[in-house]
Amino acid sequence: MKKKRFRFLSVTSVLYPLLFGLLIIALWQGQVLHKLLNTTTLILPLPTRIISVISDNFPAIAEDTWATLSVIIPGLLLGSVLGYLLAVFATNSPRFGATGLTIIAAISAIPTVALAAGVLQWTRDVSTDVTVRSYVMKLIIVTIVSIASMTLNAYRGLTELKPFALDLMKSYAAGKFIKLRAPNSLPYIFTSLKVSVPACVIAALVSEYFAEKITGVGRRIRECILQAQYSTAWAYIAVACLIGIVLFAILMASEKVIMRKRSS
């Protein structure tokens, strides 16, 4: 009975959002949204027009998509590793760790737009090559966003332990970190990544707005809007949404596999 209910919940958790998305697309294609929003197909192109633009400009869009992914993935991985190491340090050194966590929490509250503008000025002297310093600027922003989420969530996983479990580890003279703290932090790591993945996608897109190098999905959205090429801009917006959805789907699938092996 429980298995059937779990399968039902798993199916409906995917089916309902999918049906809602299809409904929105149908209303959009039927121009019902245009009437509700009092806009035109020039400002809000039809889905078929957006798909047509993506098909006609696929090589250029693919190149910009890779430019954005080449920032998101390394920044997410680097920030997650650094964030976890900071959480471990805060766990082992509570006196200094409490101060560090407060600073990280404050940094996480900084708007990405403000962060991007500040990092842009800071990285102007990193290299004489505009490509290098633009990439470094975007990578730093994505990394910072990822660090903040991972540190705070991993710290909870490393410290929120049952008292009897710590006493048991002490009685066995076993390593508390490898045997207890690290496994306990695993669900919190995935909770952090669920926040970090969409946040890193947004951070990468926003940072591309400010970057000197005209490349990436975020920068193309800006350039197309400035040039009133709204169909192309919406094509890049659709690609940006697709990037977030695919990365989040990969994360969810990874979590299901890893947590299933952990519980077995």
Side-chain angles (χ1 to χ4, degrees):
M1 187 69 180
K2 289 183 178 180
K3 288 185 178 180
K4 289 183 178 180
R5 184 174 182 180
F6 177 75
R7 289 176 182 175
F8 175 76
L9 292 174
S10 299
V11 171
T12 54
S13 65
V14 175
L15 184 60
Y16 289 163
L18 181 61
L19 291 175
F20 180 74
L22 292 175
L23 175 62
I24 294 297
I25 292 175
L27 294 175
W28 188 351
Q29 182 65 32
Q31 300 188 30
V32 176
L33 288 182
H34 296 79
K35 295 178 181 178
L36 293 174
L37 300 175
N38 192 26
T39 186
T40 64
T41 54
L42 175 65
I43 305 299
L44 184 61
L46 298 176
T48 49
R49 171 59 179 162
I50 294 172
I51 294 173
S52 176
V53 171
I54 293 175
S55 177
D56 294 340
N57 300 275
F58 186 78
I61 292 176
E63 183 178 351
D64 287 311
T65 301
W66 172 246
T68 300
L69 285 172
S70 67
V71 174
I72 295 173
I73 296 175
L76 177 63
L77 295 176
L78 180 60
S80 297
V81 172
L82 291 175
Y84 193 85
L85 293 177
L86 287 172
V88 172
F89 173 76
T91 302
N92 294 326
S93 304
R95 181 182 299 178
F96 299 102
T99 303
L101 290 174
T102 303
I103 295 173
I104 290 172
I107 292 174
S108 67
I110 300 175
T112 306
V113 174
L115 187 64
V119 175
L120 174 64
Q121 298 302 320
W122 178 51
T123 55
R124 285 191 183 277
D125 298 327
V126 169
S127 173
T128 56
D129 189 345
V130 66
T131 303
V132 173
R133 62 175 181 260
S134 292
Y135 182 81
V136 171
M137 171 256 191
K138 292 184 286 187
L139 184 63
I140 289 173
I141 293 169
V142 175
T143 301
I144 290 174
V145 171
S146 182
I147 285 176
S149 175
M150 178 58 72
T151 302
L152 299 176
N153 282 281
Y155 179 76
R156 288 185 58 195
L158 292 169
T159 55
E160 291 185 358
L161 305 171
K162 295 179 179 179
F164 74 85
L166 286 172
D167 294 337
L168 186 63
M169 288 293 107
K170 288 179 182 179
S171 65
Y172 287 158
K176 289 183 289 186
F177 181 78
I178 299 297
K179 298 291 185 179
L180 184 60
R181 294 191 187 275
N184 190 72
S185 68
L186 189 57
Y188 293 85
I189 291 175
F190 281 108
T191 299
S192 168
L193 291 174
K194 289 176 185 177
V195 176
S196 295
V197 167
C200 286
V201 173
I202 294 172
L205 297 176
V206 172
S207 65
E208 287 173 345
Y209 269 62
F210 294 88
E212 298 175 79
K213 179 72 172 179
I214 303 177
T215 186
V217 175
R219 188 55 180 262
R220 294 300 180 187
I221 293 173
R222 174 192 174 187
E223 296 297 318
C224 291
I225 291 176
L226 290 176
Q227 297 171 16
Q229 298 176 355
Y230 298 114
S231 296
T232 308
W234 274 99
Y236 276 103
I237 291 172
V239 170
C241 295
L242 186 61
I243 290 173
I245 292 171
V246 170
L247 291 178
F248 197 82
I250 293 173
L251 172 62
M252 295 297 291
S254 301
E255 180 187 18
K256 185 173 290 188
V257 172
I258 293 173
M259 295 305 293
R260 183 180 297 170
K261 289 183 179 179
R262 177 173 178 265
S263 60
S264 60

